[in-house]
């Protein structure tokens, strides 16, 4: 059977999925203090209690605008059933692959604000190769408060086919700045940390807490550490070392899954001029799992 004949997504189905391009939805949320206190505790921070007017730390907006699918609308993997705003991708593995964010530093999202999020599907694309099929969905989120635009985010979602026995895995890679870290922190991704982050983000995806499901159904060796949690830990490392810095832009890419089986590390290296910071995560074997770049205001 040829690769084309074996594809799960054929040309007709891809054309249907692409009809989601341009689809938009608008949601409102009130920025409250309780999720911020919970996130501080989860990240083992000793922050001053947030009050009205306290700006959100970078990426902590992910604690809001959460999906609230009814229990009867949840799929077998713990995610809301496919379809609706996002296209009904027939590939079982869903991953948060990366993103690019731009903050309007003069207009931060803060506690007490009512914020509007306008989400638009920018593109739906398909790729098939030796490692299997991939469906890429690019979503743009624009966050607006009473003063106007506060944050723009491009969110990369990737759907993959289930892993076949003997299927080739992408070759692991070392961090480009391996051995050059100025800052570094070891993270122990135990069940409690993963549970607390899932609870904070109302994320029912079973790959983060159901060991039987993730190993027997999806074929991974252990629970998967949330990509957004790792990205948050990268910028948290920056905040711990440059507490007064303001992040204007941040781009990140997930390179390799991180499992709860071993500690991992987050590292950073600021540029000589202090305008950017290279950030990366690596597993216990030293393989790159996520890399990102923060641009400071």
């Amino acid at each position: 059977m040829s690769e084309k004949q074996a594809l799960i997504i054929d040309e007709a189905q891809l054309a249907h999925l692409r009809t989601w391009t341009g689809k938009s939805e608008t949601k409102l949320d009130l920025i409250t203090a309780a999720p911020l206190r919970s996130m501080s505790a989860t990240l083992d921070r000793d922050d001053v209690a947030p009050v009205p007017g306290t700006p959100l730390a970078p990426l902590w907006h992910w604690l809001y605008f959460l999906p609230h699918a009814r229990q009867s609308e949840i799929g077998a993997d713990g995610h809301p059933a496919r379809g609706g705003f996002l296209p009904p991708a027939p590939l079982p593995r869903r991953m948060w692959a990366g993103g690019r964010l731009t903050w309007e530093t003069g207009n931060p999202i803060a506690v007490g604000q009512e914020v509007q999020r306008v989400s638009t599907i920018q593109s739906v694309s398909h790729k098939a190769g030796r490692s299997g099929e991939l469906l890429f969905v690019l979503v743009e989120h624009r966050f607006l408060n009473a003063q106007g635009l506060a944050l723009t985010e491009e969110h990369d979602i990737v759907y993959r086919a289930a892993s076949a026995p003997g299927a080739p895995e992408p070759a692991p890679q070392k961090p480009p700045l391996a051995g050059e870290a100025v800052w570094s922190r070891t993270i122990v991704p135990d069940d409690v940390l993963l549970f607390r982050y899932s609870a904070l983000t109302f994320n029912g995806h079973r790959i983060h807490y159901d060991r039987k499901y993730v190993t027997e159904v999806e074929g991974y060796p252990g629970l998967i550490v949330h990509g957004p949690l790792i990205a948050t830990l990268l910028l948290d490392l920056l905040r711990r070392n440059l507490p007064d810095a303001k992040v204007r832009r941040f781009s990140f890419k997930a390179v390799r899954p991180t499992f709860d089986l071993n500690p991992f590390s987050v590292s950073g290296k600021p540029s000589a001029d202090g305008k950017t910071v290279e950030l990366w995560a690596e597993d216990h074997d030293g393989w790159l799992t996520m890399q990102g770049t923060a641009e400071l205001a």
Side-chain angles (χ1 to χ4, degrees):
M1 181 178 290
S2 71
E3 181 180 280
K4 184 174 181 180
Q5 291 172 321
L7 293 180
I8 296 171
I9 300 176
D10 60 21
E11 292 183 7
Q13 190 166 27
L14 179 59
H16 174 63
L17 295 172
R18 282 177 170 160
T19 64
W20 265 255
T21 302
K23 186 178 179 67
S24 183
E25 70 173 13
T26 299
K27 292 186 175 182
L28 292 173
D29 208 347
L30 179 64
I31 307 303
T32 55
L36 305 183
R37 293 194 298 268
S38 297
M39 178 61 92
S40 291
T42 299
L43 298 184
D44 201 22
R45 296 181 57 87
D46 186 22
D47 291 326
V48 174
V51 296
T54 298
L56 296 192
L59 302 185
W60 289 29
H61 68 287
W62 288 339
L63 302 177
Y64 305 93
F65 301 96
L66 304 179
H68 292 124
R70 295 168 53 188
Q71 189 66 19
S72 59
E73 298 169 342
I74 298 297
D77 63 356
H79 263 309
R82 306 290 173 91
F85 174 64
L86 291 173
L91 305 175
R93 289 182 170 183
R94 173 178 170 175
M95 298 172 293
W96 189 315
R100 293 150 302 282
L101 302 98
T102 300
W103 285 267
E104 304 299 325
T105 55
N107 182 30
I109 298 174
V111 174
Q113 294 178 354
E114 184 176 66
V115 177
Q116 179 187 73
R117 185 186 74 179
V118 181
S119 303
T120 305
I121 295 179
Q122 298 289 348
S123 65
V124 178
S125 58
H126 179 251
K127 178 181 178 181
R130 293 183 60 221
S131 60
E133 280 184 78
L134 301 169
L135 186 76
F136 301 90
V137 179
L138 171 59
V139 183
E140 180 195 68
H141 303 293
R142 290 168 56 85
F143 298 83
L144 302 100
N145 57 21
Q147 286 70 49
L149 182 66
L151 168 63
T152 304
E153 175 180 5
E154 290 184 327
H155 174 192
D156 300 323
I157 304 170
V158 177
Y159 298 88
R160 294 185 62 183
S163 180
E169 292 290 336
Q173 55 184 296
K174 291 289 185 177
L177 297 176
E180 299 181 35
V182 176
W183 317 319
S184 190
R185 182 175 176 224
T186 298
I187 308 296
V188 178
D190 61 21
D191 303 49
V192 177
L193 175 63
L194 302 192
F195 166 79
R196 293 177 94 182
Y197 190 78
S198 286
L200 269 173
T201 54
F202 205 55
N203 182 352
H205 199 180
R206 294 169 65 179
I207 62 173
H208 304 303
Y209 62 86
D210 187 336
R211 197 171 303 277
K212 182 178 176 68
Y213 172 85
V214 76
T215 57
E216 297 183 8
V217 177
E218 298 221 9
Y220 291 109
L223 298 177
I224 298 177
V225 182
H226 315 64
L229 173 57
I230 298 173
T232 300
L233 286 164
L234 291 179
L235 283 186
D236 180 66
L237 180 72
L238 186 156
R239 292 181 65 213
R240 288 170 186 264
N241 289 277
L242 297 175
D244 297 325
K246 288 186 178 181
V247 177
R248 182 191 306 276
R249 293 187 179 88
F250 180 57
S251 60
F252 70 99
K253 179 181 179 181
V255 177
R256 183 178 177 87
T258 299
F259 303 103
D260 73 328
L261 305 175
N262 297 282
F264 66 96
S265 64
V266 289
S267 300
K269 181 182 180 181
S271 62
D273 61 9
K275 294 182 179 180
T276 61
V277 179
E278 296 301 322
L279 297 158
W280 67 94
E282 55 190 286
D283 64 20
H284 66 292
D285 287 324
W287 298 124
L288 179 68
T289 59
M290 181 176 286
Q291 63 185 127
T293 301
E295 178 184 321
L296 306 183

